[in-house]
Amino acid sequence: MSIPGIDNWLDSPQGHYVMAWEQARIDVMVADLFGYNALQLGLPKFDLLAQNRIPLRQLAGESGAVDVLCDLRELPFSANSIDLVVMPHILEFHDDPHQILREVERVLIPDGQLLITGFNPHSLWGLRRRLPNRPDAFPINGNYISVLRLKDWLQLLSFEVDRGNFGCYAPPCEQERWLKRWHFMEAAGDRWWSFAGGVYLLRAVKRVRGMRLILPPWSQEKLPRKALAALTQKEFKQRDQ
């Protein structure tokens, strides 16, 4: 199942604007992550694992030029086998985001890393979805998930949010010249209203609580005091005779 309209949007000035920001931030985050297996879910047009050093990097999705063609709700990977998962704009454009997160949690190793990008509903991009006569096309037609809500979902699955970034503060203009005119909002947004970026990037770590073995209260009988008394040299001689 492909997301309608995403290919045309990725080739548009608006798509270039968003993906340039996300590619740059993800490149920095994955550069220092190590392991044996890394997985990108969706967006086959972009190699978001290019700067990562993990030897086996795979791209999985439900359509397009992917390494593994599969249903994202049933990932064909063993449990506790993936060190890093990158999910760009998957949850907000899928009918069952909870099941996808459960599958990602299953395949990740303990202390495995998860990177998620999404559109921020508390931004100019999210406001456009509430305006009358809004276009019913990607990315306006998605079910945007707030950062706080996503953190709650991750916490229920024993994830710990490590860090996050907001970006793309310019209004969702469709023409490149208008996006350039609003470029001054990038620096101002990071300083004054960082929570209102059009998109966000979250990095979470899968935590597995250790088990503590509880032993039964074994009864320990004390030995008689006489048995613990040291034998004198005279007693040794008497025993030898």
Side-chain angles (χ1 to χ4, degrees):
M1 183 184 65
S2 60
I3 302 175
I6 187 173
D7 291 334
N8 293 333
W9 181 81
L10 291 174
D11 293 332
S12 68
Q14 193 180 97
H16 292 163
Y17 168 61
V18 171
M19 293 310 302
W21 181 88
E22 293 186 6
Q23 182 80 64
R25 297 306 183 279
I26 292 177
D27 285 347
V28 173
M29 282 196 178
V30 302
D32 60 346
L33 299 181
F34 301 93
Y36 298 97
N37 297 281
L39 181 64
Q40 176 182 330
L41 301 182
L43 285 190
K45 284 190 173 183
F46 292 86
D47 185 5
L48 300 177
L49 297 172
Q51 300 301 317
N52 186 250
R53 304 179 186 180
I54 292 178
L56 182 57
R57 301 186 295 270
Q58 299 183 83
L59 174 60
E62 298 178 339
S63 64
V66 296
D67 302 314
V68 181
L69 187 64
C70 64
D71 187 342
L72 298 182
R73 296 169 297 181
E74 299 179 359
L75 296 176
F77 303 100
S78 302
N80 304 317
S81 62
I82 306 296
D83 300 273
L84 169 64
V85 175
V86 178
M87 270 200 312
H89 301 286
I90 294 297
L91 300 180
E92 58 213 328
F93 296 99
H94 203 284
D95 295 335
D96 199 354
H98 296 89
Q99 177 58 26
I100 295 177
L101 272 180
R102 284 191 289 266
E103 276 294 280
V104 170
E105 189 276 336
R106 180 186 66 84
V107 302
L108 273 175
I109 66 170
D111 292 333
Q113 307 280 331
L114 170 61
L115 272 63
I116 302 176
T117 64
F119 290 100
N120 182 15
H122 306 302
S123 66
L124 294 176
W125 295 67
L127 178 63
R128 187 182 180 187
R129 300 173 63 249
R130 300 183 178 91
L131 297 177
N133 300 324
R134 66 179 180 87
D136 190 18
F138 187 93
I140 304 301
N141 59 346
N143 296 317
Y144 293 2
I145 304 170
S146 68
V147 171
L148 292 178
R149 186 180 180 190
L150 183 55
K151 285 184 177 180
D152 289 339
W153 291 2
L154 293 170
Q155 186 177 8
L156 290 175
L157 293 173
S158 300
F159 279 99
E160 176 183 326
V161 176
D162 180 57
R163 67 178 68 176
N165 297 102
F166 286 93
C168 299
Y169 297 94
C173 306
E174 296 182 358
Q175 298 181 5
E176 184 177 3
R177 62 187 181 93
W178 283 106
L179 289 173
K180 290 182 177 180
R181 288 185 180 183
W182 289 100
H183 182 72
F184 71 92
M185 293 185 64
E186 301 301 324
D190 283 336
R191 183 173 182 180
W192 300 108
W193 53 83
S194 59
F195 62 91
V199 295
Y200 58 80
L201 168 63
L202 282 185
R203 172 173 159 180
V205 183
K206 176 182 174 180
R207 300 301 189 190
V208 177
R209 296 181 180 179
M211 294 184 299
R212 181 172 178 265
L213 184 62
I214 301 177
L215 298 175
W218 302 106
S219 59
Q220 297 180 357
E221 298 181 358
K222 294 183 178 180
L223 295 176
R225 186 174 181 180
K226 184 177 180 181
L228 298 176
L231 295 176
T232 62
Q233 186 175 4
K234 182 178 180 181
E235 290 176 341
F236 273 114
K237 292 180 178 179
Q238 290 177 355
R239 288 189 178 184
D240 293 339
Q241 294 176 358

